[in-house]
């Protein structure tokens, strides 16, 4: 099975979000399989924008231009646009839960993707080069997260959905050097 990592098309170092997570409960929910069922306050992820001032970015325009956003903190990793969630929610419902986000206490058309299925996938990694475990994946059609390292992967079927719905999400294929 081909595995892919997700990348946003915008320059990540200049435009990204972070999560407000003082108790670490959001991190636990997104990174630890045994914490998936822990409820988050109001089932909403509070985020804040971290945009370089020099680019004078308009947030509304930015949110319309992309379907995947980068989130560097809170263990979330990827945030999806409302368009992407509308297109993908039904087909991904058994593998990904989309949790709405707020910015400065107000709802925004951005959703955190909680990957519900986990497996031992990555033995080791350096940069973005992975050495994969020799084990097979569980019953996964679209998305899975490594249960120890928290790295999220999508499958060829997910990539085909992105193309089908013309979403602005980049999927980078990862080499399977099973060692």
């Amino acid at each position: 099975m081909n595995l892919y990592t997700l990348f946003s098309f915008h320059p990540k170092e200049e435009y990204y979000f972070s999560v407000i997570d003082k108790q670490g409960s959001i991190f636990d929910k997104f990174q630890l399989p045994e914490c998936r069922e822990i409820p988050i306050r109001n089932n909403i992820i509070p985020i804040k924008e971290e945009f370089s001032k020099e680019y004078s970015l308009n947030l509304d325009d930015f949110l319309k231009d992309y379907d995947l956003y980068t989130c560097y903190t809170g263990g979330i990793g990827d945030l999806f646009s409302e368009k992407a969630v509308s297109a993908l929610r039904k087909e991904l419902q058994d593998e990904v839960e989309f949790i709405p986000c707020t910015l400065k206490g107000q709802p925004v058309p951005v959703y955190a993707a909680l990957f519900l299925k986990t497996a031992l996938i990555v033995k080791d990694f350096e940069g973005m080069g992975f050495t994969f475990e020799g084990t097979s994946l569980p019953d996964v059609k679209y998305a899975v997260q490594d249960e120890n390292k928290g790295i999220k992967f999508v499958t060829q079927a997910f990539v085909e959905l992105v193309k089908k719905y013309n979403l602005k999400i980049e999927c980078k294929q990862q080499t399977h050097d099973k060692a």
Side-chain angles (χ1 to χ4, degrees):
M1 175 183 286
N2 290 331
L3 292 178
Y4 299 80
T5 48
L6 298 173
F7 288 98
S8 47
F9 284 112
H10 57 84
K12 294 179 196 57
E13 292 74 32
E14 295 152 3
Y15 315 137
Y16 64 92
F17 293 95
S18 57
V19 173
I20 302 164
D21 186 23
K22 292 182 174 80
Q23 281 87 33
S25 57
I26 296 172
F27 178 88
D28 290 349
K29 184 175 182 87
F30 278 80
Q31 291 296 311
L32 306 174
E34 63 272 16
C35 296
R36 290 290 188 271
E37 301 301 320
I38 293 174
I40 293 174
R41 187 171 170 232
N42 300 325
N43 199 37
I44 292 173
I45 306 293
I47 59 173
K48 61 181 179 177
E49 54 187 297
E50 304 281 354
F51 297 145
S52 297
K53 302 277 187 252
E54 65 189 90
Y55 294 97
S56 62
L57 183 71
N58 178 294
L59 180 63
D60 291 333
D61 291 342
F62 176 76
L63 293 176
K64 289 177 190 164
D65 288 342
Y66 301 99
D67 292 312
L68 184 74
Y69 316 106
T70 304
C71 184
Y72 281 132
T73 62
I76 292 175
D78 302 304
L79 300 170
F80 286 77
S81 71
E82 193 163 47
K83 175 187 173 188
V85 171
S86 294
L88 301 173
R89 177 177 269 145
K90 185 173 182 189
E91 291 178 78
L92 300 183
Q93 68 185 348
D94 294 333
E95 297 180 15
V96 179
E97 177 185 344
F98 292 104
I99 303 172
C101 296
T102 58
L103 182 67
K104 298 177 186 168
Q106 299 300 312
V108 286
V110 174
Y111 296 79
L114 176 64
F115 283 46
L116 301 174
K117 296 198 175 185
T118 62
L120 292 172
I121 303 169
V122 177
K123 184 182 273 187
D124 199 10
F125 66 95
E126 186 174 324
M128 286 307 285
F130 298 105
T131 304
F132 290 93
E133 294 281 358
T135 59
S136 61
L137 294 178
D139 183 25
V140 170
K141 185 171 183 183
Y142 297 108
V144 63
Q145 181 172 335
D146 183 89
E147 68 184 54
N148 286 335
K149 300 191 176 28
I151 301 164
K152 296 172 180 151
F153 295 97
V154 296
T155 65
Q156 183 65 42
F158 182 95
V159 173
E160 290 166 13
L161 286 176
V162 166
K163 290 177 186 172
K164 175 182 174 182
Y165 293 111
N166 197 29
L167 299 174
K168 293 177 187 166
I169 297 173
E170 184 178 353
C171 302
K172 180 180 177 190
Q173 187 170 359
Q174 298 300 320
T175 307
H176 294 254
D177 296 338
K178 294 178 182 159

